[in-house]
Amino acid sequence: MDLVYRPRRLRRSAPIRGIVRETELSPRQLIYPIFVTEGKSVREPIESMPGQFRLSTDEIIRECEDLYSLGVGAVNLFGFSKVKDEIATNAYDAKGLVQSAVRAIKSTVPEMCVQTDVALDPYTTHGHDGLVIGGEIANDVSVEVLCKMALSHAEAGADWVAPSDMMDGRIGAIRKALDVHGFSHVGILAYSAKYASCFYGPFRGALQSAPSGHKKTYQMDPANVREAMREIALDLEEGADVVMIKPALAYLDVINRVREAFDSPIAAYNVSGEYAMIVSAAEKGLIDRDLAMMEMLISIKRAGADMILTYFAKDAAAILRADFGSFK
Ligand code: PBG
């Protein structure tokens, strides 16, 4: 055959494949989500997410030290609150779970970028991200509570707050609240395009935060992509430092569209359902856990995400460390 271009020439050996590789993963761009619980020396397995745990603060510190030494420089904290009420009182308690964990991490691994989830669902009896008034998820009063929550995290020393609630106008309101109170250095990682997805199921098991009803009046319709562009533009205008698309795997086209259109850093959330699918298929011997994990993460990177929140952060970092300098 008389072929000018033979693509296989560039796939002949591991070093050749290595030098033409277009996308690389780095532990530095992985963010590990952590579930904070009460007590001491608590490492409570999460049934819906095999291999993940609810951790007490002392265990979180150990975890952060491990992560940091593997090159993972960021964690994202979620509170597993057993105290729940209609108005999410515990969400902004200065001595609350997340606030205390932030302080503890900052005093032992000060350089770790500590991010905190800002949404009311772990703290409400109804499991919604905002307050429910007259059967509706009330937007503006919820934003007021979210601002208090974000401020309490900033006061504890959080580097970034991460509003995941999808209320309108919350990025601008939180930015203003932070600035007014002397926290202009605290960043906002905005869950800008967050879809109403079934892939959050295992996470809701982890936090016992399954909502009454659904979240479709504030989270986005999975069928929409132009709406995502609008949400992203809006959050950037309101002061988001980083915008996020969530989930990742079924939304790679959204990540790609956002990458093409915006220059800001983009995060993608490789959510609990994506984690659980791989873990359970691997447990059944149907796929190779590590290969599936790495292929999934590189696909998210290739689509255009700069950073990835993933429950695989530690495992992937360990593999990346072991691979560094060798040919695969
Ligand atoms: C809620 C929140 C959810 C997740 C992160 N923040 C669930 C939801 O919106 O119901 C999901 C994360 C995951 O599935 O890993 N504020």
Side-chain angles (χ1 to χ4, degrees):
M1 266 197 291
D2 184 18
L3 300 177
V4 173
Y5 175 44
R6 287 182 178 268
R8 290 185 57 195
R9 272 200 291 266
L10 296 183
R11 299 181 198 136
R12 284 185 62 231
S13 67
I16 293 175
R17 291 191 292 274
I19 47 175
V20 299
R21 187 158 294 141
E22 299 173 29
T23 316
E24 293 270 7
L25 274 174
S26 158
R28 277 182 282 280
Q29 295 189 314
L30 301 177
I31 300 166
Y32 188 55
I34 293 181
F35 300 100
V36 189
T37 193
E38 284 166 14
K40 251 191 155 351
S41 309
V42 181
R43 237 187 131 73
E44 191 182 4
I46 299 171
E47 223 172 291
S48 54
M49 301 172 67
Q52 301 301 311
F53 302 85
R54 298 183 194 98
L55 302 174
S56 54
T57 298
D58 51 332
E59 291 289 325
I60 290 174
I61 288 172
R62 210 165 316 155
E63 196 72 38
C64 286
E65 287 168 340
D66 287 356
L67 286 161
Y68 202 76
S69 68
L70 284 168
V72 178
V75 291
N76 199 301
L77 305 182
F78 295 91
F80 173 55
S81 183
K82 288 179 188 152
V83 189
K84 301 176 195 266
D85 61 25
E86 288 281 304
I87 53 167
T89 314
N90 253 44
Y92 48 88
D93 179 356
K95 295 201 172 79
L97 282 172
V98 168
Q99 294 82 350
S100 310
V102 172
R103 283 195 189 90
I105 299 170
K106 279 293 168 189
S107 64
T108 40
V109 198
E111 289 277 285
M112 180 64 92
C113 172
V114 180
Q115 311 171 4
T116 54
D117 188 69
V118 176
L120 307 184
D121 49 314
Y123 306 94
T124 53
T125 37
H126 45 70
H128 281 292
D129 296 38
L131 302 182
V132 180
I133 298 175
E136 302 261 337
I137 319 298
N139 196 90
D140 299 11
V141 285
S142 298
V143 171
E144 285 172 29
V145 184
L146 293 163
C147 286
K148 282 204 247 179
M149 186 178 186
L151 263 181
S152 73
H153 294 168
E155 276 158 7
D159 293 281
W160 292 2
V161 293
S164 69
D165 56 285
M166 289 296 279
M167 295 301 119
D168 294 337
R170 91 277 204 216
I171 300 301
I174 290 173
R175 182 69 274 158
K176 196 165 161 201
L178 291 171
D179 290 352
V180 165
H181 290 87
F183 297 107
S184 56
H185 56 283
V186 172
I188 301 180
L189 164 61
Y191 286 63
S192 303
K194 177 173 178 180
Y195 289 88
S197 170
C198 75
F199 291 104
Y200 310 149
F203 171 100
R204 292 174 185 170
L207 291 187
Q208 293 169 7
S209 62
S212 49
H214 58 76
K215 297 193 176 184
K216 292 180 191 176
T217 69
Y218 47 108
Q219 299 181 350
M220 286 177 49
D221 183 341
N224 295 354
V225 63
R226 296 194 302 267
E227 187 186 1
M229 306 303 277
R230 257 189 122 177
E231 280 279 12
I232 302 263
L234 200 55
D235 282 358
L236 288 170
E237 269 168 39
E238 289 181 30
D241 298 284
V242 181
V243 289
M244 181 143 74
I245 292 119
K246 172 187 177 185
L249 215 47
Y251 299 85
L252 294 177
D253 61 318
V254 182
I255 297 173
N256 196 246
R257 282 277 299 270
V258 173
R259 172 76 296 153
E260 302 274 297
F262 296 93
D263 291 327
S264 69
I266 296 172
Y269 201 142
N270 177 213
V271 298
S272 59
E274 299 169 5
Y275 171 83
M277 283 196 297
I278 288 190
V279 170
S280 41
E283 273 174 1
K284 288 201 167 82
L286 302 177
I287 53 166
D288 181 298
R289 185 187 199 271
D290 288 352
L291 292 178
M293 161 179 92
M294 297 312 276
E295 188 172 329
M296 178 172 66
L297 292 174
I298 204 76
S299 78
I300 298 168
K301 200 82 204 287
R302 189 194 65 233
D306 299 297
M307 63 196 90
I308 308 174
L309 278 88
T310 178
Y311 303 100
F312 286 121
K314 203 173 167 185
D315 297 349
I319 288 180
L320 291 167
R321 292 277 297 220
D323 283 356
F324 186 72
S326 69
F327 292 110
K328 280 271 164 71

